[in-house]
Amino acid sequence: MAEAVVEIVLEKLNSLIQKELGLFLGFDQDIKRIANLLTSIKATLEDAEEKKFSNRDIKHWLGKLKDAARILDDILDECGPSDKVQNSYLSSFHPKHVVFHYKIAKNMKMIREKLEKIANERTEFNLTEMVRERSGVIEWRKTSSVITEPHIYGREEDKDKIIEFLVDDASHYEDLSVYPIVGLGGLGKTTLAQLIFNHEKVVHHFELRIWVCVSEDFSLRRMTKVIIEEATGRAREDMDLEPQQRGLQDLLQRKRYLLVLDDVWDDKQENWQKLKSLLACGAPGASILVTTRLSKVAEIMGTIKIPHELSLLSDNDCWELFKHQAFGPNEVEHVELEDIGKEIVKKCGGLPLAAKELGSLLRFERKKNEWLNVKERNLLELSHNGNSIMASLRLSYLNLPIRLRQCFAYCAIFPKHEQIWKQQLVELWMANGLISSNERLDFEDVGDGIWNELYWRSFFQDIKKDEFGKVTSFKLHGLVHDLAQSVTEDVSCITDDNGGTVLIEKIHHLSNHRSRSDSIHLHQVESLRTYLLPHQHGGALSPDVLKCSSLRMLHLGQREELSSSIGDLKHLRYLNLSGGEFETLPESLCKLWNLQILKLDNCRNLKILPNSLILLKYLQQLSLKDCYKLLSLPPQIGKLTSLRSLTKYFVSKEKGFFLAELGALKLKGDLEIKHLGKVKSVKDVKEANMSIKPLNKLKLSWDKYDEEWEIQENVKEILEGLCPDTQQLQSLWVGGYKGDYFPQWIFSPSLMYLRIEGCRDVKALDEALQHMTVLHSLSLYYLRNLESLPDCLGDLPLLRELAIAFCSKLRRLPTSLRLQTLKTLRIWGCPDLEMETRHDSSKVAHFPEIRVNGYLIKG
């Protein structure tokens, strides 16, 4: 992880050098010297990262380097906001600025001397400058087609399915078939491939079988040479690529062959295409079986629709494997050890390699205390040989690019086995400088890319999605969480299970998931950068937290008040006060110049925000969900030009609160606009530039009892002008609209959820409804003049929920309505509605719920 921290500060240093700010601030030579030092150190960090697991001195050295880099990051942050430095130019001889310049220059000199000392210590370790490029196969990772595990558990179904494909299905294909097996390290992909390779059906079906352990060198030259060697059983001299390729094609020409490519890591499509074109010379039925940890590799190489994802073993199968290793085939089981053994197996989390290793570890141990010791210890601490679960999982970690290593290790801040909210993780990465926006992508998009990369590499599992198919949360396998903890010592998660009072020293990122608010004391907290208190309730925030001057990220529980000292946390990027019971925020909060995310969700007593909030020039996200007592935002919110997410906006007729304030904001995500009855001018609506905002959810509301709403004559044009970028729009809520018809954009083809409420003058819905081919849910409430629904409603292929309430003039539903495709139909407050289809038992028998005028017809 030292690599990532060094890379972050190097980027900042180089930016400072380019702007020549160091020259003005008085430390130009220092920052150039520091940049050179860090560049030379960085070249050896790849070697150091690999050696730290076996060399404590290197591990300690990396820790010192990381601490120094973080101190440097704080100093650079002081130089930080560009407008602050520019102000220094304008009044550089003001005493306050002279002191500031002196302080920064002094600190920069101090950290340069510290880094010089660290750089000199590096020579003691004989570290090699290396690029992340490996060749060949590490000895312990070499595999062959020889079956090493004659007894397998829980894989019969997988084995039979793959054999059936290779022997039967693939025989009908003219083109080369590629069948990928993908999964986490230690799941048994290689073992399964060995069993398939040597199965009687496979042996008789294929004319030629070749096993290649690929590892990380997937170059065309090496792959061509090694395939020939494995096919002929003879070593081959190096020669030019072209004669090697001809030799390989001569071997495979018009043969029904099976090639196993075990342990593939290369995800460059062009490399695979070159090799595939060379291999596509066999007879119909020729096949390739691939094993990989990377979903991306499986997608690139596979010719089947869905790669074969190897699942975790059940606890029962894991127990059988563990028992076979621990007791052997002939030994009678020890009843007193069986219950302990089954608890140990649960720690394996379905990984066969873990069950095998722990069983082997206890093979000659029959004392109860030894088994209890294994039960209580971390699995990764118990690894005892080079081919261990630790080495297998670390391989996945070391194969990550530098930035991804740091992002993965940060996951250790969450409790083991719990669902992790993806958005929160991405925001924490951003707050700690692990990701940043660029000219093309916001930090959320960059974070999505990194999350996807880690998911494709099998680090994440058990994903959950929202109604739009977007990933919301996921889990880490227990052993993957252990891996995250093992590769970093500065990230810690405290739970009620930890027990006792925790003294924090060298922790940089801490989450306290205890329910007791007084269960942790922070000492020597200068280096703390992340502090999460998501589940705690209480009054004032501990003064210890406000001493954490390096904090980048702070998530508090439900606090009754917030100290004005919060403004002292100058480095803060992320502040989550959701659930707070306060009515106002301290004005000092507006001194957090670096703040990028402010979350105030579910602050149900919050009535007002400080007007100086518009001074937070770097604020990208202001979340105000379920702040029911909040009636307005600070005036001139449009000055926050960095804002990308604003969940709520209140329109007013006073200057600074016009709808046009949204014009300069490049908003996306969710947005609710209230008090639209106060909009007087269509020009004001146009200046809001809604059409360029790629919103996913939009809520538009006119007040029910607003006199201005009653006399708003241009309401139709106003709603027309509120049309966002409809290609992204998935959910729309319109409430209180006074017009008698809707503009066509309301029925955007991209919409999945549409709710119309309190639009009293609307008599009918537009036939444009027929274009809403992905609509899942339609809700119509308090449309008192609605008389009918268009017949095209019955033609919507994905409509699953229909709710109609208090539409007193509605008399019938479309006869074409596909009741058999609906999952939920709720109708109430519609006294004159006749349901021509409600007695058709063949159409309603499947319904989970049908309610008509409050009565449950079926459910």
Side-chain angles (χ1 to χ4, degrees):
M1 284 178 54
E3 297 166 290
V5 180
V6 168
E7 198 170 81
I8 289 168
V9 294
L10 260 177
E11 286 180 8
K12 291 185 178 181
L13 275 171
N14 290 329
S15 174
L16 212 59
I17 291 170
Q18 288 175 3
K19 295 176 181 176
E20 297 186 342
L21 295 181
L23 187 62
F24 170 75
L25 293 171
F27 49 78
D28 184 54
Q29 293 305 313
D30 280 331
I31 62 172
K32 288 179 178 177
R33 173 63 179 152
I34 290 170
N36 290 334
L37 279 170
L38 290 177
T39 301
S40 64
I41 290 174
K42 181 186 172 186
T44 64
L45 289 182
E46 180 66 27
D47 191 28
E49 277 287 327
E50 292 192 21
K51 291 177 177 176
K52 73 177 182 181
F53 297 109
S54 57
N55 189 318
R56 287 186 175 273
D57 290 336
I58 291 179
K59 187 175 183 180
H60 179 64
W61 177 78
L62 284 170
K64 289 197 293 184
L65 173 62
K66 194 160 48 176
D67 289 342
R70 285 200 168 101
I71 293 171
L72 175 58
D73 191 35
D74 282 352
I75 297 171
L76 295 174
D77 227 32
E78 287 286 324
C79 303
S82 57
D83 52 349
K84 180 178 178 181
V85 175
Q86 288 165 4
N87 289 335
S88 297
Y89 274 106
L90 297 176
S91 54
S92 57
F93 295 106
H94 188 284
K96 187 169 67 173
H97 291 293
V98 171
V99 172
F100 170 73
H101 293 179
Y102 175 75
K103 175 188 170 186
I104 294 294
K106 181 181 177 182
N107 288 339
M108 198 65 78
K109 180 182 178 183
M110 175 271 296
I111 199 64
R112 173 181 59 77
E113 292 171 350
K114 191 168 188 175
L115 284 169
E116 284 175 343
K117 184 178 178 182
I118 290 171
N120 291 334
E121 291 175 359
R122 172 187 48 163
T123 58
E124 301 173 13
F125 307 123
N126 296 317
L127 297 176
T128 304
E129 293 188 10
M130 56 189 291
V131 181
R132 292 194 72 256
E133 188 173 314
R134 312 172 196 272
S135 61
V137 185
I138 300 171
E139 188 62 34
W140 68 265
R141 290 175 59 191
K142 287 184 179 178
T143 65
S144 72
S145 63
V146 177
I147 295 177
T148 54
E149 301 292 336
H151 300 282
I152 66 163
Y153 302 88
R155 297 298 186 214
E156 286 296 326
E157 188 176 328
D158 297 288
K159 182 188 71 175
D160 292 344
K161 180 180 178 180
I162 297 171
I163 289 174
E164 181 182 357
F165 173 84
L166 295 174
V167 173
D168 297 328
D169 299 347
S171 299
H172 303 298
Y173 297 156
E174 289 292 328
D175 297 328
L176 184 64
S177 299
V178 184
Y179 195 103
I181 305 173
V182 64
L184 182 66
L187 267 179
K189 301 181 293 295
T190 297
T191 300
L192 177 61
Q194 287 169 337
L195 290 168
I196 292 166
F197 188 87
N198 290 285
H199 194 276
E200 185 179 7
K201 285 185 179 179
V202 172
V203 172
H204 289 141
H205 180 73
F206 291 100
E207 301 172 58
L208 178 63
R209 292 174 302 126
I210 310 165
W211 180 284
V212 174
C213 179
V214 177
S215 190
E216 295 179 11
D217 185 356
F218 200 69
S219 64
L220 185 60
R221 180 179 293 277
R222 184 216 168 211
M223 292 304 300
T224 304
K225 180 174 182 289
V226 75
I227 292 172
I228 294 173
E229 289 177 345
E230 295 296 337
T232 61
R234 297 190 304 272
R236 190 176 178 88
E237 293 182 4
D238 287 334
M239 60 177 66
D240 291 340
L241 182 59
E242 187 173 341
Q244 284 202 70
Q245 290 179 324
R246 284 200 302 268
L248 178 57
Q249 289 197 322
D250 288 343
L251 275 171
L252 303 180
Q253 196 76 39
R254 292 187 291 278
K255 286 191 177 72
R256 188 165 62 205
Y257 67 85
L258 172 65
L259 171 62
V260 174
L261 298 177
D262 186 40
D263 195 27
V264 179
W265 292 81
D266 193 295
D267 60 1
K268 293 182 176 62
Q269 188 164 359
E270 60 271 21
N271 290 349
W272 165 238
Q273 290 297 337
K274 290 175 184 176
L275 180 60
K276 184 181 179 182
S277 63
L278 186 62
L279 298 173
C281 60
S287 301
I288 299 176
L289 185 63
V290 176
T291 72
T292 181
R293 303 185 189 195
L294 280 63
S295 298
K296 191 174 180 181
V297 168
E299 290 181 14
I300 288 171
M301 298 182 70
T303 58
I304 59 175
K305 286 185 178 180
I306 302 175
H308 190 105
E309 291 193 20
L310 213 53
S311 61
L312 299 169
L313 290 184
S314 66
D315 283 349
N316 186 59
D317 287 326
C318 253
W319 166 246
E320 291 298 324
L321 174 55
F322 173 88
K323 186 170 64 173
H324 177 80
Q325 296 291 331
F327 298 113
N330 302 317
E331 184 177 351
V332 177
E333 293 178 30
H334 296 247
V335 178
E336 70 277 12
L337 299 178
E338 185 171 331
D339 290 341
I340 302 173
K342 288 183 177 179
E343 289 299 313
I344 291 172
V345 162
K346 289 180 181 178
K347 294 163 69 75
C348 298
L351 276 185
L353 182 57
K356 175 190 171 185
E357 180 166 332
L358 291 184
S360 300
L361 187 66
L362 294 169
R363 180 68 178 90
F364 301 106
E365 300 291 348
R366 294 298 174 261
K367 293 180 181 179
K368 186 176 179 180
N369 286 342
E370 292 292 339
W371 283 56
L372 287 171
N373 179 49
V374 170
K375 173 179 173 285
E376 297 300 325
R377 290 178 64 189
N378 184 307
L379 250 64
L380 295 183
E381 295 174 1
L382 298 168
S383 299
H384 66 289
N385 59 61
N387 192 22
S388 64
I389 184 65
M390 169 67 104
S392 178
L393 292 176
R394 275 184 183 159
L395 186 63
S396 292
Y397 169 75
L398 291 171
N399 190 262
L400 290 172
I402 292 173
R403 281 292 177 95
L404 265 66
R405 290 183 190 177
Q406 175 89 333
C407 290
F408 163 69
Y410 197 88
C411 294
I413 202 168
F414 297 101
K416 198 172 185 178
H417 303 305
E418 286 196 11
Q419 287 289 134
I420 298 172
W421 293 102
K422 177 187 172 186
Q423 181 179 352
Q424 184 186 25
L425 177 62
V426 170
E427 290 168 352
L428 297 186
W429 286 342
M430 182 279 299
N432 284 283
L434 306 183
I435 61 173
S436 59
S437 58
N438 56 45
E439 293 179 357
R440 295 182 297 105
L441 300 172
D442 290 334
F443 78 84
E444 297 99 326
D445 300 317
V446 175
D448 275 345
I450 289 178
W451 188 93
N452 288 335
E453 187 72 27
L454 290 169
Y455 175 66
W456 290 332
R457 291 171 180 264
S458 303
F459 285 98
F460 300 152
Q461 62 181 41
D462 297 340
I463 63 170
K464 291 186 178 179
K465 299 182 178 181
D466 62 14
E467 64 270 29
F468 306 117
K470 188 176 180 180
V471 175
T472 56
S473 65
F474 63 97
K475 283 185 178 180
L476 267 66
H477 186 280
L479 286 175
V480 175
H481 190 279
D482 290 343
L483 173 66
Q485 289 179 313
S486 77
V487 298
T488 177
E489 294 183 340
D490 64 355
V491 179
S492 181
C493 175
I494 302 170
T495 67
D496 285 323
D497 296 331
N498 296 140
T501 298
V502 179
L503 298 178
I504 307 302
E505 293 181 356
K506 286 297 184 181
I507 295 298
H508 293 117
H509 309 283
L510 174 67
S511 64
N512 183 2
H513 288 258
R514 289 181 177 174
S515 55
R516 307 186 307 279
S517 60
D518 60 345
S519 60
I520 181 169
H521 302 283
L522 300 177
H523 300 289
Q524 300 178 358
V525 294
E526 293 86 353
S527 62
L528 197 63
R529 293 183 160 231
T530 301
Y531 194 36
L532 309 182
L533 290 159
H535 303 307
Q536 291 188 12
H537 302 255
L541 182 64
S542 165
D544 281 347
V545 176
L546 300 176
K547 296 175 185 175
C548 303
S549 58
S550 293
L551 269 176
R552 264 66 173 172
M553 189 278 160
L554 182 59
H555 182 180
L556 305 178
Q558 297 181 12
R559 300 285 160 184
E560 296 173 3
E561 56 183 288
L562 189 64
S563 168
S564 61
S565 298
I566 191 75
D568 295 335
L569 302 177
K570 303 296 185 184
H571 299 289
L572 208 60
R573 264 77 170 171
Y574 176 108
L575 180 59
N576 192 334
L577 303 173
S578 296
E581 299 176 14
F582 36 78
E583 295 184 1
T584 61
L585 295 174
E587 195 73 27
S588 62
L589 184 142
C590 303
K591 295 180 181 179
L592 302 175
W593 313 116
N594 289 297
L595 195 65
Q596 296 181 32
I597 294 178
L598 178 58
K599 288 182 175 287
L600 298 166
D601 299 329
N602 297 302
C603 293
R604 304 196 176 196
N605 294 324
L606 183 65
K607 295 180 179 178
I608 190 169
L609 297 175
N611 286 345
S612 299
L613 197 73
I614 62 169
L615 298 177
L616 302 180
K617 300 296 185 184
Y618 299 101
L619 194 65
Q620 296 187 36
Q621 185 182 134
L622 178 58
S623 190
L624 300 162
K625 297 175 183 176
D626 298 326
C627 296
Y628 298 118
K629 293 185 179 180
L630 186 66
L631 299 179
S632 73
L633 296 183
Q636 297 181 312
I637 202 75
K639 289 187 175 182
L640 295 176
T641 53
S642 295
L643 263 186
R644 295 295 176 267
S645 176
L646 176 66
T647 57
K648 198 184 297 284
Y649 184 72
F650 303 86
V651 179
S652 175
K653 59 184 179 180
E654 298 176 19
K655 188 175 181 180
F657 299 93
F658 295 162
L659 188 62
E661 287 291 328
L662 300 179
L665 304 183
K666 299 177 182 178
L667 299 178
K668 63 180 186 177
D670 302 355
L671 174 63
E672 177 183 3
I673 305 178
K674 299 176 70 72
H675 311 321
L676 282 167
K678 298 181 184 295
V679 176
K680 295 299 183 184
S681 166
V682 175
K683 177 176 177 288
D684 192 31
V685 177
K686 290 181 179 178
E687 289 177 354
N689 290 325
M690 292 294 291
S691 62
I692 63 171
K693 304 187 194 306
L695 301 172
N696 300 122
K697 294 183 181 180
L698 178 61
K699 186 174 182 179
L700 303 172
S701 64
W702 284 254
D703 297 328
K704 284 184 179 179
Y705 307 108
D706 191 340
E707 293 181 4
E708 294 169 341
W709 177 86
E710 295 289 343
I711 60 173
Q712 194 176 36
E713 297 178 355
N714 50 5
V715 63
K716 298 174 186 175
E717 291 81 4
I718 286 172
L719 183 57
E720 180 71 56
L722 287 169
C723 175
D725 179 354
T726 55
Q727 291 184 347
Q728 305 291 327
L729 193 62
Q730 295 177 307
S731 177
L732 176 64
W733 187 100
V734 180
Y737 169 67
K738 191 189 175 187
D740 54 6
Y741 68 88
F742 290 111
Q744 289 203 359
W745 76 263
I746 296 293
F747 308 103
S748 168
S750 65
L751 277 176
M752 299 175 69
Y753 294 83
L754 175 60
R755 176 167 171 163
I756 301 173
E757 181 173 341
C759 303
R760 63 190 189 191
D761 293 332
V762 172
K763 295 182 179 180
L765 298 184
D766 198 283
E767 286 291 335
L769 196 70
Q770 64 185 306
H771 302 302
M772 304 181 74
T773 54
V774 296
L775 189 69
H776 282 61
S777 175
L778 176 62
S779 301
L780 306 172
Y781 298 155
Y782 295 97
L783 307 184
R784 66 186 189 188
N785 284 311
L786 183 67
E787 297 176 352
S788 64
L789 297 174
D791 287 337
C792 63
L793 183 65
D795 298 325
L796 302 183
L798 299 181
L799 188 64
R800 297 295 179 266
E801 297 180 1
L802 178 60
I804 305 173
F806 301 104
C807 299
S808 55
K809 292 187 179 181
L810 185 64
R811 301 189 180 280
R812 68 176 184 85
L813 295 180
T815 54
S816 61
L817 189 63
R818 300 180 181 181
L819 291 185
Q820 64 270 25
T821 65
L822 286 175
K823 290 185 177 179
T824 303
L825 173 63
R826 297 188 185 95
I827 302 173
W828 65 98
C830 304
D832 297 332
L833 180 66
E834 296 179 3
M835 285 190 62
E836 298 179 16
T837 57
R838 68 181 177 187
H839 300 299
D840 189 342
S841 59
S842 66
K843 290 187 177 181
V844 301
H846 73 288
F847 263 58
E849 181 179 347
I850 300 179
R851 289 180 180 271
V852 178
N853 291 327
Y855 294 98
L856 182 66
I857 305 301
K858 179 168 176 37

